[in-house]
Each structure stands twice: as structure tokens, then as C-alpha cells.
Amino acid sequence: MFKRVLIANRGEIAIRIIRACREMGIETVSIYSVPDQHQLHVQMADQSICVGPAQAAYSYLNVASILSAAVLTNCDAIHPGYGFLSENPDFVRAVEACGITFIGPSADVIEQMGDKSAAKKCMESNGVPTVPGSDGPVATLEEAIKVCREIGFPVLIKASSGGGGRGMRRVDKEEEVRSAFDSARSEAKACFADDRVYIEKLILNPRHIEFQILADHLGNVVHLGERDCSIQRKNQKMLEESPSLFLDDDLREKMGTVAIRAAKACGYKNAGTVEFVVDKEKNFYFIEMNTRIQVEHPVTEMVTGIDLIKEQLRIASDLPLSVKQDDICMRGWAMECRINAEIPQKDFTPSSGEILFLHEPGGMNIRFDSLLYTGGEVSPFYDSMIGKIIVLGNNRLEAIRKLRCALEETIIEGVQTNSAFQYTILHDPDFIRGQFDTGFMEKKKDALLSLMVLEE
Amino acid sequence: MFKRVLIANRGEIAIRIIRACREMGIETVSIYSVPDQHQLHVQMADQSICVGPAQAAYSYLNVASILSAAVLTNCDAIHPGYGFLSENPDFVRAVEACGITFIGPSADVIEQMGDKSAAKKCMESNGVPTVPGSDGPVATLEEAIKVCREIGFPVLIKASSGGGGRGMRRVDKEEEVRSAFDSARSEAKACFADDRVYIEKLILNPRHIEFQILADHLGNVVHLGERDCSIQRKNQKMLEESPSLFLDDDLREKMGTVAIRAAKACGYKNAGTVEFVVDKEKNFYFIEMNTRIQVEHPVTEMVTGIDLIKEQLRIASDLPLSVKQDDICMRGWAMECRINAEIPQKDFTPSSGEILFLHEPGGMNIRFDSLLYTGGEVSPFYDSMIGKIIVLGNNRLEAIRKLRCALEETIIEGVQTNSAFQYTILHDPDFIRGQFDTGFMEKKKDALLSLMVLEE
Amino acid sequence: MDLKELESLIRLFDSLSLSELALKQGDFELNLKKEKQRTQDLGMIPAMVRESTNNTAEPSTDDNQTSGHIVKAPMVGVFYEAPSPKSPPFIKIGDQIAKGQVLCIIEAMKMINEVVSPVSGVVKEIFIANGELVEYDTPLIEIEVTGV
Amino acid sequence: MDLKELESLIRLFDSLSLSELALKQGDFELNLKKEKQRTQDLGMIPAMVRESTNNTAEPSTDDNQTSGHIVKAPMVGVFYEAPSPKSPPFIKIGDQIAKGQVLCIIEAMKMINEVVSPVSGVVKEIFIANGELVEYDTPLIEIEVTGV
């Protein structure tokens, strides 16, 4: 096992990783930017190194400074968390060139899974169902039109190297193909320096369901069940749960088996997530593989009792998985709600400032992973996600009630948050009945916002 | 199910009960004394009633005011928590006379189990092993000497209505019987207005192991495994865990069966605890039945996943148990450490004041049940226990490490606490190896205190 | 303003719930400021807001700010202004009352508890309506003291 | 106001929960202020105490309190005072240096990065010992500015 791990991240995930390391007797080194000097992840680590100024490009993304810090503090591994450098294959190669272990999959796997059309091709050739579409990048308009006719409208034209909706166009009829194809290509070029695009059938308002997998260096792969992440606003997840009401045992086993096949197909090692969309007829399609630990991983930890960060550390130090597929049993229903420092009524613009007062939620099966403390600072420079409340109930309704109570108890003064908005979601009849898909937020947002006003 | 429950308590247990009620959609009414106006249990309840001045005798023990509050706010049940009125049969009868449900066993059971020699007699006649001793109260010196000769020294002479070590005398040889007998009787008379005493064999430094049971009105009784509460200072528990390293599966099943028999013997209903002492040869003896929810109940909740307060509410409203014995499975190893506002270096004298800053421990499988908040008050009028940290690990060592980390993260400013002292226990080699009994603290206290000094 | 006056002014400011004081008198200028103090009531969101049963008419009980004596509830119960529904009330505003005189009753657990006046004086205000629930220490009646 | 009166006033201010006091009386002016109490560093118990790698000689970087210009580390790395172990150091205390002159090097990822002076002046202090790890923004050298 490692002796000292550098955590190339900040916020709640850095704290999460520090806790796992400490419990395993591993020393920790945090990195931070100048304004982050008093952040909790700096204070909790055994040692902390300032790696640059506020702008992430020169601090949390500053490969040279981060590697210098790791080498000079004698770290034998680096945990990247999520975001920042976590899915950057060049970083992984640089880490390994320094003789340091990267806690995650290999650079090649990250690279392959990061290239959407390469990932898709790999999955298809291994019998993992993918969204119908072009066979790799589409070079000409003629080819694009031909593909669209084959798979039927609506379709999405997507950048091969894309993400976050950029370089992406929806096309509903043939007349629109030309302009969408051209503009997607030029946006892809501008954003990712790669103008290759591919075409996919648009699955309207599907469920977003992902499977957590763990894979060790011996080729053992297990899945830890699904997470339903359909409650999203502009592709940002807001509320996640496990299991999903939408899956029965048959479908769960089928998708779990496919998720394991997907991981094996690309020679995956460490913790990862296989994302699927599921349509109304319960057809499921692979969309991408997340080659990192995810924000919503505690939902899976709650139902399985398995500490995913500790498993990551075990796997990276070439220990075999601590569990077999048959050992994994789910207990209860877990739900997570992300607390963002933002103003829902003002189109969710971020809010920052000093935390004047904090009261955390508490009680049985309530977990609050957060960077907050009374007197601490919510920085305007980074992600607005400042905490996550995760609960476990015996069933879905109990989980919803627990999450409501937890939100009621939570007091954060000094910045505005989305907690009252999340509270309204937990009272929405369609949400409670489980009748939702990725179109939920768009459809409901204004009605929920108006409820918030009434509450004040 | 109840519509509105009055919680006749304060502090962390009142908060614990409020949370359970809220999650079940039950309204809550708190009571408080004048200086407790800003306590968390007052702020978290739907409604709060001031029942008297600071002195508990006129507020938290003020039956007339509490019952008036319950009746006038239309409560249909009262939860007594632990301490205060929780084991007072007269209170239970008064509650029921008002047409309100008492959440706990019947007055008769509380009364019978509160009378140590009656409890013992009941257990003996039902095949529950008890500590060898006199057959009920001993009236004369001659009888006392005879009993002592039969069971062998050392013995304890104990007040029939006693508790907390008062009216109790240890006797090591025959010459001491007379003076011990006389002084125990007069102390018993002074403290409990009842000079009856009985005699018991003294089990030297046993393990203190208790079984949690649940019993419904249909006569279903289950046990939820054991808690090892051997780490005590002056009969006050400090650290509790479940399971106990001292029990193997055979002994666990045997003791669990006996615990269920004990509960059935007295016609028990609701949640209760059967306390045993276990000697070095693994002989176990019933010592008493606690007819209330206990401070350390979250340890059992952690390993079983069963919410004991919700079960109490279900049972009291005549719903059957939600679990059968076969459904109950233990997962991992739970450990609890009590945080007291006290100064270990000054013979554990209580400390009170305003909480200037609070930072709670957090992370996976960490629970912090507490009355604290930044700006809140630790009152000098009541118990010094201000919180409990409960952790769950995959095994005992992981639990110990988690608890250490949780203590390291916890910051309480404004009052002094025993947390650094608890931290030293978690590093004691005998504790880590599980080589301890109820004599642990007496033997180790000074050495542990000296470690604390080194740490500062 | 001499130092003694200044000191007493500062102490006064400190004791009250003011957060700022600015004083200018000729060439004398004084500015005092207090940090925002955390109110102890947390104010949890929606359903946590405590419903207060009888805060409708809660008077200031700060003895500095009132000349009268506040009689408070000695127990939890229901406040009655008269011995029976048909009787006239024990007292009304403006009445001259003697020390030891019955002011009202509080019914708790079907027991009638008379509340008697600890002072002699004139009834200045009655804070609670007939039949309302009162908590321990709830202010009931204010009496302008004329003798003890 | 004499010194004794002043002292008692200051002590009074300190003992109360005031955060600011400003007094003006004729040509006498007094301003008192208290720092907000909570330091941001939490100070967790035993093992949480952060080991600082290079705080041994951390100077005040408050520009109000020093006349010199503080040159800070532009990256994480190892501080070297000379181009090679056998060479003399680039600078020593008291040296007159020109803007653009090399002050030291920082080795990061086996790359040598020269740190040049942004000002002309005299070397007043060198805070870091040869071969020590420096973080981003670690104060390295103080220069008494004589020209920019």
C-alpha cells in the first residue's frame, strides 16, 4: 500500500480522499491555489503545497507544479479526484514518467474512452449496445445525410472530442442537416481543435442510468448496481439515487452484465462508471464511460457498504478487489442531493462569500460531504458545488423523507444555495411517484421556482 | 400511527427522537426549562413548551407541567428518552390516565425491573442465569453471614431499590459483614427510603455485555445482538461497540436466546436492554433490564440498519415488529464514543459555556448525534454528555481507525471536552487487542491522562 | 463629557442590543460599533420554523424598560380570568389590587391553581386571553406597583 | 485625557463586546478596533496539525510593513542559490543588483528555471536555504528598491 498520496484536487472530493487515506494509515499531501489557503482540504492534509494562483489553469491544472510537489514531498501515488486532471491521459503519462502511481485507469484507456467515437466503436465490437448512428466520424455532408436517413430523425451531430454540449447540434429534419453539420464542425474545431463529428440517434428524454464498476489488475470486474441520475439541469446532475425505480431485477442484471463486459472490452482497471440511456421501452444504450470517481459515488457506497475510494487505493497498489460479485448486496434506498452555492431565482448564478454560520444535517444514515465550515470561504474561482447530502432509507419514500428532513436542518449563511430549490423537487408528485426522465427539470423548473417564492 | 408526540427530554436524545418522528410524518412537541430556551431540541420541534425553571426537579421531572403540555397541545403519545422520567412507573401511570400512550414498556414491567431483587427472582424462575446471591432481601445479620458463606467471598451488599453505587458495599471477608450490612442499610434508607438490601457474589472485573431486544404487543421478541460496554469510568459508560470481540457465535446465540427469554419472562413490550456480566470463563449472569432506549443504541443501529426509535414508535402504536429474527443481519463493526463537556485532568469535572466554534466529524459511516451548534450553550444544569460519535467499519480495527480520524476532525471550542482522552483510549494496546474488562479504566486512567499531557 | 460619563455611556451601549452609536456634540464626537452577534435562534428552513403557541402578545420583560411588575405563569396550563365561565373576571385593567389578591387561575391537569399578586398596585395590562395555553414563565399580567 | 484615563478607557473597550470605538474631542482623537475573533485556521487535534514544509523563516509579506520588494517563487520546486554546486551564489546580502538580473534558480521536474529580479536595488534578505522545497508564492528574497 502507498505511504503518501498527493491529492490533485480541492473541495469535498479532496476531503473525501483524505479521510479514506487517513483511515488506511496513508499520509496525504494537498495542493492548493493562493486563495484556497484556508480551505478545509488544506487543513486536513498532513502537508499542503501551494501550486499556483487562483486560476485553475495555473494551479489545479498546473502539471509541472503538481508533479514537482509530488516528487519533492516523496509521494508514491496521486489521486486526481474528479474534474481538473482526472481524465487527462497526458497527465497520467507524466505522472507515471515520474515513477508515481496514478490512481485510476491507464492513460490509454482514458484516451480511448475520451474519444467518443473510438469508445463507441470499441463497445459495438464487444456486443455492448450503443445508440444507433454513424460508424465513426462523418467526413462529408453527403455521408451525413445518408446516415440520418438510415437511423431516422431526430438525430444529434456531436463533436468526437466534445463534451458539455459544445460542438453538438440537434437535427429534426433533412433540410437542417447541412447548417447543423457545418456549425457543429466549426464549433468543434474552435473548442477542441478537432473538427471531427459523428451522428447519433437522439433518444428523447431517456432515463440516465449508470453502473458503477470496479476492476483490478487481475482482470476481476464487478458492478455495484446502478445510479439513476435523470434529474439534471443543463446536463448537470442535481439529485441521484440507487437503485432506480425504473429497473426491475431482470433489466438490472442484464445491464450489470453489459457494464462488466464494457469494462472488460477496454481493459479497464480501477473504479469507473458505464453510462447508459434507457428509453421508454427499456432499451438501453451505452453512451460513455467515466474513467474517474464520480461526484455521486456515495449513493453506491450507501447501498453497498463498500468504500469506493479505499477500493481505488487497493486496486492502484495492485491488491485484488476486496469483494466478489456475489458478496455485493444492496441494502435500502440511497439518495443524494447536491448543494450548490447559487441563486436559483437568478438563473442559478453562482454565489460566493464567507460562511457566517453552518449547521449540518445529522442523524441515522445521513451523510454530509462538504468543504464548508463556519468562517470558511466559498471561492468564486471554482465549481459552485459545496456539498452533498446523502441519505439511506429502507425504501424510496423513506429516503425522500430523510432527505427533506436533512435539508430542513441544514443552515448555510453567507452564501445563497439551491437547497430550498432541491427541497421543492422532493415534494414534486411526479418525482415522488418516480415518473421522471432527463426532461424533468426543463419541464418543471419554473413551477418549482414559483413554489420557492411561496415558501419565503 | 401517532399524530403528535411530546418528547419529555432534552439534548441529543430529544433531537434523535424528533428526527425519527419527522421522518415518519409525526409532529413533535418539545419541553424545555427556562435556560434551555435556545437549545436545539427546542428549535427543531414543531412546537415547544417551557415547563419550569433550570432545576430538573421543577422542569424535566415536573410531571404535572409535562402532562399539561401534552394534553393542551393534543399529543397522543409521550417519548421519555433516557434518564429523567423514562423509568418512573408513576409517570407512566399518570400518562396513561390522561389517555396518552407512553412510548415504552408498561408501568408494571418498569416497576418490577426497577426492583433489583424482584427482577432477579423473576429471571431465576424463568431459567435466566443470575449472579449467585441471596434469595431476595436479607433481613438479619445472621442470614447475611449464612448467604455469604454459601456463595463465597468477595460479595456485594446492594440496596434493593438502589442504583449508581449508592447503598452498595463490597465485602471481602466474614469479619467485614456486620459493618457493611449496617452501613449499606442505612445508606439505602437515606437514599431510597427503603432499607432492604440483598447480597450478590462479586464478579471481579467482568465484561459488561448487553443485548438489545425489541418486543411487540403480539408477543414477538427479537434480539439485535450485543453491545460491549466494558469501558466505563465509575459505572459511566464511555466507549461502546458491537459486536463484542469476547463473544463467539455459539455464546452470542446462547446469550441472545436467554435475552429473549428474559424479555418474555417479564412480559416486555417495546425496546429494552438485557444487561449481563460475563466472567473470564465466559459464564454470563443477568444483572438488570433497562426498560428504556439507551444512550448507546446507535451502535446497534449501525450494525443492523434498524432504526430503534422508529421501531419504538411502531410498537407503541400497536404495529407488529418490522423484522423477524432471521431478517436481522449484522454488517461490520460499530463503535461509539461519548463526548462529555468535562475536564479529564481535573478529575473529569464538568465544563459549561457557549460553543464558540463547532466542526463536526464527517465522511462515510460516521454519525455525530449531538446537541451542539456554533453559538449554542452547554448548560451547567444537566448531564455533561454533549454528543456521541458513532462509526461503522468493516472490522474492529477499521472502526477504531475511523473513530480516531473522527475525533481528530472534531473541533469544539468554548467548553473543554474528553475527546483527547477518548483518543488516548483508542491508542491503548490492550484496548486495540480487545483485552479489557470493566476494570480497564481504573487501571489505565492515570497512564492515559499522562499521554494527554504529552500530546499538548 | 468627562471620563465617568463616557464610561457609563459605553457600558450602556454594551448592555443594550444596539449595534452602532454615533454621537456629535460641538467638537465632541463618539462612534461605537458592535460586531453582528449571532442570534441564537437558528431559523431552520420551512417546516422547522417553530410555531409559538402564545407569542401573540408577548410583552417586553426587560425590567429596565417597564415600571410595572410582571406576573408570570408558575406552571403550564390554561389561563382563566374568572373562577367560572359565568362569573365576572377577577381583575380588569385599572383595578386597584392588594398583595395576595387572586389575579387569575391556571388550570392544569384538572386542578385549579390560583395566581395571587405578589405586590399591591394597579392592573396595567393583561397579556393573555381567556382560555389560552400558557407555558411556564409566560408573562400574564403587568401591575403598576404602588406598594409591596 | 491623561494616560491613565486613556488606559482605563482602552481596558474598558477590550473587556466589552464592542468591535469599534472612535472618539474625537477637540484635537484629541482615538480609534479602537477589535479583530474579528475566529482565526481561519481550525487547528484540528493531534495528527491533523499541518506540517508546514517551509514556514521556518516565513517573513511578513504585508507590503505596508516592509520597504523592500519581495520576490516570490513562481512555481513549486527546489531553490538553488547557485547555477551548480561548485559555483558561487548568484547573489548575497548587500549586493547591488539590476532589474533582470538572475537571483536564483528553481528546479522543477528536472527543468532549471531562472528567477530574475523585477526591480533594481540591494539584496536585503534571502529567506530560503539552498536546496529547500518552495511552494508557489513562497517569499524568496527581499530587495531594497533603488530603481524599477
Side-chain angles (χ1 to χ4, degrees):
Chain A
M1 187 46 67
F2 307 116
K3 294 225 174 334
R4 190 176 293 148
V5 170
L6 181 135
I7 294 132
N9 217 302
R10 67 184 297 282
E12 67 86 20
I13 192 64
I15 294 159
R16 168 74 188 90
I17 298 161
I18 292 170
R19 284 180 175 141
C21 289
R22 293 185 59 72
E23 288 174 21
M24 295 174 85
I26 301 168
E27 289 179 32
T28 53
V29 177
S30 276
I31 60 165
Y32 63 100
S33 65
V34 173
D36 272 358
Q37 190 187 350
H38 298 295
Q39 287 289 316
L40 208 48
H41 76 283
V42 177
Q43 303 199 44
M44 283 182 67
D46 294 303
Q47 194 173 337
S48 294
I49 303 284
C50 181
V51 293
Q55 302 93 305
Y58 303 109
S59 50
Y60 295 106
L61 293 169
N62 184 339
V63 174
S65 271
I66 293 170
L67 289 182
S68 294
V71 170
L72 295 170
T73 56
N74 298 311
C75 287
D76 43 8
I78 292 183
H79 196 304
Y82 51 69
F84 293 130
L85 295 164
S86 62
E87 293 177 291
N88 181 329
D90 295 334
F91 177 65
V92 178
R93 292 189 182 106
V95 169
E96 285 167 355
C98 294
I100 295 176
T101 304
F102 176 81
I103 299 167
S106 71
D108 291 349
V109 169
I110 292 175
E111 195 155 51
Q112 188 187 19
M113 292 297 114
D115 178 337
K116 306 288 176 219
S117 59
K120 200 172 167 181
K121 199 169 282 175
C122 166
M123 292 304 150
E124 273 166 4
S125 65
N126 282 277
V128 174
T130 61
V131 178
S134 63
D135 189 21
V138 174
T140 65
L141 177 63
E142 291 66 41
E143 201 187 331
I145 291 172
K146 183 165 160 279
V147 171
C148 288
R149 280 184 188 152
E150 274 168 27
I151 61 174
F153 291 98
V155 305
L156 281 181
I157 301 179
K158 289 163 109 174
S160 291
S161 315
R166 288 190 297 182
M168 192 194 290
R169 294 291 180 277
R170 173 178 172 163
V171 187
D172 288 296
K173 41 185 187 278
E174 197 165 320
E175 302 88 272
E176 298 169 5
V177 176
R178 173 189 289 271
S179 71
F181 182 71
D182 291 343
S183 70
R185 280 178 57 141
S186 54
E187 191 169 313
K189 177 146 195 146
C191 292
F192 312 110
D194 175 4
D195 70 353
R196 290 175 307 150
V197 297
Y198 64 103
I199 300 176
E200 238 176 40
K201 187 162 178 62
L202 172 61
I203 313 291
L204 272 169
N205 294 335
R207 290 262 182 163
H208 175 116
I209 291 178
E210 58 188 32
F211 274 73
Q212 176 70 50
I213 62 106
L214 288 174
D216 66 18
H217 73 294
L218 300 169
N220 299 312
V221 186
V222 298
H223 79 83
L224 284 78
E226 77 276 14
R227 294 185 288 257
D228 191 327
C229 312
S230 303
I231 306 294
Q232 307 180 348
R233 194 184 67 84
K234 298 191 172 170
N235 292 314
Q236 291 287 313
K237 295 167 188 167
M238 296 183 65
L239 264 171
E240 300 98 345
E241 60 188 289
S242 181
S244 167
L245 208 54
F246 200 58
L247 266 55
D248 54 29
D249 285 345
D250 273 2
L251 185 55
R252 179 169 300 118
E253 203 188 312
K254 216 157 109 187
M255 290 179 72
T257 308
V258 168
I260 289 174
R261 199 189 305 151
K264 286 186 171 165
C266 61
Y268 202 85
K269 198 182 107 172
N270 216 295
T273 301
V274 185
E275 292 196 342
F276 297 101
V277 289
V278 187
D279 70 15
K280 281 171 190 52
E281 288 74 40
K282 309 217 169 178
N283 299 305
F284 62 92
Y285 307 101
F286 170 90
I287 44 172
E288 63 175 317
M289 178 117 188
N290 290 311
T291 56
R292 56 164 199 275
I293 193 74
Q294 282 185 284
V295 174
E296 60 271 24
H297 75 277
V299 162
T300 299
E301 294 183 326
M302 274 286 201
V303 287
T304 62
I306 295 167
D307 187 316
L308 290 172
I309 306 292
K310 288 188 183 172
E311 289 300 323
Q312 285 197 296
L313 291 159
R314 284 177 59 91
I315 293 166
S317 62
D318 281 348
L319 288 168
L321 292 183
S322 72
V323 284
K324 294 194 176 59
Q325 190 67 51
D326 290 342
D327 302 336
I328 298 165
C329 75
M330 316 285 168
R331 182 149 91 177
W333 204 286
M335 202 172 274
E336 172 183 277
C337 132
R338 302 188 185 194
I339 305 298
N340 297 334
E342 63 189 14
I343 312 165
Q345 297 92 332
K346 289 192 182 165
D347 199 26
F348 299 86
T349 39
S351 168
S352 61
E354 189 191 337
I355 299 302
L356 303 173
F357 181 72
L358 170 67
H359 185 258
E360 302 184 27
M364 181 178 175
N365 287 332
I366 308 271
R367 171 174 166 187
F368 184 52
D369 275 21
S370 170
L371 57 80
L372 299 175
Y373 64 91
T374 300
E377 202 78 38
V378 173
S379 171
F381 298 109
Y382 312 104
D383 198 88
S384 63
M385 210 265 288
I386 52 174
K388 310 178 303 201
I389 304 177
I390 312 105
V391 303
L392 179 70
N394 283 313
N395 51 56
R396 189 164 185 272
L397 190 57
E398 194 181 43
I400 290 175
R401 285 180 155 171
K402 266 185 178 287
L403 199 41
R404 287 180 192 163
C405 291
L407 281 170
E408 287 164 6
E409 280 185 37
T410 308
I411 303 174
I412 300 167
E413 283 178 16
V415 295
Q416 295 206 56
T417 77
N418 66 343
S419 75
F421 184 71
Q422 293 276 33
Y423 192 71
T424 65
I425 299 176
L426 297 170
H427 287 82
D428 179 84
D430 288 334
F431 177 77
I432 294 166
R433 281 193 290 258
Q435 291 169 353
F436 58 84
D437 53 43
T438 52
F440 178 89
M441 277 309 300
E442 208 179 321
K443 207 165 59 193
K444 296 270 188 176
K445 198 184 70 189
D446 293 336
L448 295 175
L449 281 170
S450 70
L451 279 178
M452 269 180 78
V453 175
L454 287 178
E455 265 171 10
E456 272 163 11
Chain B
M1 188 43 70
F2 307 116
K3 296 227 173 335
R4 190 177 293 149
V5 169
L6 181 137
I7 295 130
N9 217 303
R10 68 184 298 282
E12 67 87 19
I13 192 64
I15 294 159
R16 167 74 188 90
I17 297 162
I18 291 170
R19 284 179 174 143
C21 287
R22 294 185 58 74
E23 288 174 20
M24 294 174 87
I26 300 168
E27 290 179 30
T28 52
V29 177
S30 276
I31 60 166
Y32 63 100
S33 65
V34 173
D36 271 359
Q37 189 186 352
H38 299 294
Q39 287 290 316
L40 208 48
H41 77 283
V42 177
Q43 303 198 44
M44 283 182 69
D46 294 303
Q47 195 174 334
S48 294
I49 304 283
C50 181
V51 293
Q55 302 93 305
Y58 303 109
S59 50
Y60 295 106
L61 294 170
N62 183 339
V63 174
S65 271
I66 293 170
L67 289 181
S68 294
V71 169
L72 295 171
T73 56
N74 297 311
C75 288
D76 43 7
I78 292 181
H79 196 304
Y82 52 68
F84 293 130
L85 294 164
S86 62
E87 293 177 292
N88 181 330
D90 295 335
F91 177 63
V92 178
R93 291 190 183 107
V95 169
E96 286 166 355
C98 294
I100 295 175
T101 304
F102 176 81
I103 299 167
S106 70
D108 290 350
V109 168
I110 293 176
E111 195 155 51
Q112 188 187 19
M113 292 298 113
D115 177 338
K116 308 286 177 219
S117 60
K120 200 171 168 183
K121 199 169 284 176
C122 166
M123 293 303 150
E124 274 167 2
S125 65
N126 282 277
V128 174
T130 60
V131 179
S134 63
D135 188 21
V138 174
T140 65
L141 177 64
E142 291 65 41
E143 199 187 332
I145 292 172
K146 184 164 161 274
V147 170
C148 290
R149 282 184 186 153
E150 273 167 29
I151 61 175
F153 292 96
V155 304
L156 280 180
I157 301 179
K158 288 164 110 175
S160 291
S161 315
R166 287 190 297 182
M168 193 194 286
R169 292 292 179 279
R170 174 178 171 164
V171 187
D172 289 295
K173 42 185 184 282
E174 197 165 320
E175 303 87 275
E176 297 168 6
V177 176
R178 173 191 289 271
S179 72
F181 183 71
D182 290 345
S183 70
R185 278 177 59 140
S186 55
E187 191 170 314
K189 174 142 197 153
C191 292
F192 312 110
D194 175 4
D195 69 354
R196 290 175 305 150
V197 298
Y198 64 103
I199 300 177
E200 241 177 39
K201 187 164 178 61
L202 171 61
I203 312 291
L204 271 169
N205 294 336
R207 290 263 183 163
H208 174 116
I209 290 179
E210 58 188 32
F211 274 72
Q212 176 70 50
I213 62 106
L214 288 174
D216 66 17
H217 72 294
L218 300 168
N220 299 312
V221 185
V222 298
H223 78 83
L224 284 79
E226 78 277 14
R227 295 185 289 258
D228 191 325
C229 311
S230 303
I231 306 293
Q232 308 181 348
R233 193 185 68 85
K234 298 193 172 169
N235 292 314
Q236 291 287 312
K237 296 167 187 166
M238 296 183 65
L239 264 170
E240 300 99 345
E241 59 187 287
S242 179
S244 168
L245 207 55
F246 199 58
L247 266 54
D248 54 29
D249 285 344
D250 273 0
L251 184 55
R252 180 169 299 117
E253 204 188 312
K254 216 158 109 188
M255 289 180 73
T257 307
V258 168
I260 289 175
R261 199 188 306 150
K264 285 186 172 166
C266 62
Y268 202 84
K269 199 182 105 173
N270 216 295
T273 301
V274 186
E275 292 195 342
F276 297 100
V277 289
V278 187
D279 69 16
K280 283 173 187 49
E281 287 74 39
K282 309 220 170 178
N283 300 305
F284 61 92
Y285 308 100
F286 169 90
I287 44 170
E288 63 174 316
M289 177 116 189
N290 290 311
T291 57
R292 55 163 199 274
I293 193 73
Q294 281 185 284
V295 175
E296 61 270 26
H297 75 277
V299 163
T300 299
E301 293 182 327
M302 274 285 201
V303 287
T304 62
I306 294 168
D307 187 318
L308 290 173
I309 306 291
K310 288 187 183 173
E311 289 299 322
Q312 284 197 298
L313 289 161
R314 284 177 59 89
I315 293 166
S317 61
D318 280 349
L319 288 166
L321 292 183
S322 72
V323 284
K324 294 193 177 57
Q325 190 67 53
D326 290 343
D327 303 336
I328 298 164
C329 73
M330 317 283 168
R331 183 149 90 178
W333 205 287
M335 203 171 273
E336 172 183 278
C337 129
R338 302 188 185 195
I339 306 297
N340 296 336
E342 62 188 16
I343 311 164
Q345 298 92 333
K346 290 193 182 164
D347 198 25
F348 299 85
T349 40
S351 168
S352 60
E354 189 191 335
I355 298 302
L356 303 173
F357 181 72
L358 170 68
H359 186 258
E360 302 184 27
M364 182 179 176
N365 287 333
I366 308 272
R367 171 174 167 188
F368 184 52
D369 275 21
S370 169
L371 56 81
L372 298 175
Y373 64 91
T374 300
E377 202 78 37
V378 173
S379 170
F381 298 108
Y382 312 104
D383 197 87
S384 64
M385 209 265 288
I386 53 173
K388 310 178 303 202
I389 304 177
I390 312 107
V391 304
L392 179 70
N394 282 314
N395 51 55
R396 189 163 185 271
L397 190 57
E398 194 181 45
I400 290 174
R401 285 179 155 172
K402 267 186 179 283
L403 199 41
R404 286 179 190 163
C405 291
L407 280 170
E408 287 163 6
E409 281 186 36
T410 307
I411 304 173
I412 299 167
E413 284 178 17
V415 296
Q416 295 207 57
T417 76
N418 65 341
S419 74
F421 184 71
Q422 293 276 32
Y423 191 72
T424 65
I425 298 176
L426 296 170
H427 288 80
D428 180 84
D430 288 333
F431 177 78
I432 294 166
R433 281 193 291 259
Q435 291 169 351
F436 57 85
D437 53 42
T438 52
F440 178 89
M441 277 309 300
E442 207 179 323
K443 206 164 61 195
K444 296 272 187 172
K445 198 184 69 186
D446 293 337
L448 295 175
L449 281 169
S450 71
L451 279 177
M452 268 179 77
V453 176
L454 287 178
E455 265 172 10
E456 272 162 13
Chain C
M1 192 175 281
D2 69 19
L3 190 64
K4 211 149 173 193
E5 288 173 332
L6 188 63
E7 187 183 322
S8 78
L9 188 64
I10 292 173
R11 283 196 194 278
L12 177 66
F13 171 79
D14 184 54
S15 71
L16 299 177
S17 64
L18 302 181
S19 66
E20 271 188 69
L21 183 153
L23 179 68
K24 208 172 165 178
Q25 203 170 11
D27 64 348
F28 175 84
E29 264 184 55
L30 177 68
N31 286 286
L32 298 174
K33 221 175 197 173
K34 254 186 267 181
E35 264 311 307
K36 205 178 97 197
Q37 287 201 321
R38 152 124 231 105
T39 60
Q40 278 192 305
D41 273 315
L42 302 177
M44 300 190 175
I45 62 169
M48 302 300 280
V49 177
R50 186 181 151 211
E51 282 174 44
S52 189
T53 44
N54 63 347
N55 282 354
T56 37
E58 189 147 344
S60 163
T61 57
D62 188 339
D63 290 327
N64 295 334
Q65 299 198 3
T66 168
S67 59
H69 180 94
I70 306 280
V71 179
K72 296 178 180 180
M75 69 197 69
V76 179
V78 178
F79 174 92
Y80 290 111
E81 59 183 14
S84 76
K86 282 171 187 162
S87 317
F90 290 108
I91 52 162
K92 56 185 194 299
I93 291 171
D95 280 5
Q96 174 73 44
I97 50 151
K99 183 175 167 184
Q101 186 176 332
V102 176
L103 300 174
C104 62
I105 55 177
I106 292 178
E107 188 188 322
M109 306 317 297
K110 298 189 182 159
M111 300 281 286
I112 300 297
N113 303 280
E114 293 182 338
V115 177
V116 298
S117 182
V119 293
S120 295
V122 175
V123 177
K124 205 173 159 192
E125 205 166 344
I126 303 172
F127 301 118
I128 309 294
N130 196 45
E132 256 184 25
L133 165 64
V134 293
E135 302 177 37
Y136 176 82
D137 246 14
T138 302
L140 304 174
I141 292 156
E142 183 176 359
I143 295 165
E144 187 82 58
V145 182
T146 56
V148 180
Chain D
M1 193 173 284
D2 68 20
L3 191 63
K4 211 149 173 192
E5 287 175 332
L6 189 61
E7 188 183 323
S8 79
L9 189 64
I10 292 174
R11 282 196 194 281
L12 177 68
F13 172 78
D14 185 51
S15 71
L16 300 176
S17 64
L18 304 183
S19 66
E20 273 188 66
L21 181 154
L23 179 67
K24 208 171 165 179
Q25 203 167 13
D27 63 351
F28 174 85
E29 262 185 57
L30 177 68
N31 286 287
L32 298 174
K33 218 174 199 175
K34 256 184 261 181
E35 261 316 302
K36 219 175 74 196
Q37 301 274 309
R38 152 127 232 102
T39 61
Q40 276 192 304
D41 273 314
L42 302 178
M44 298 188 178
I45 62 168
M48 303 301 279
V49 177
R50 186 182 151 209
E51 280 175 45
S52 190
T53 43
N54 63 345
N55 281 353
T56 36
E58 189 148 345
S60 164
T61 56
D62 189 338
D63 289 328
N64 296 333
Q65 298 196 4
T66 169
S67 60
H69 180 95
I70 305 281
V71 179
K72 297 177 180 181
M75 69 198 67
V76 179
V78 178
F79 174 93
Y80 289 112
E81 58 182 15
S84 75
K86 282 171 189 164
S87 319
F90 291 108
I91 54 165
K92 56 184 193 302
I93 291 172
D95 280 5
Q96 175 72 44
I97 51 153
K99 183 177 165 181
Q101 185 177 330
V102 176
L103 299 175
C104 62
I105 55 177
I106 292 180
E107 187 189 323
M109 305 317 298
K110 297 184 185 164
M111 301 280 285
I112 299 297
N113 303 279
E114 293 182 337
V115 178
V116 300
S117 183
V119 294
S120 295
V122 176
V123 177
K124 205 173 157 194
E125 201 165 347
I126 302 171
F127 301 118
I128 308 293
N130 196 44
E132 257 186 25
L133 164 64
V134 293
E135 302 178 37
Y136 175 81
D137 245 15
T138 302
L140 303 173
I141 292 156
E142 183 176 357
I143 295 164
E144 188 81 57
V145 183
T146 55
V148 181

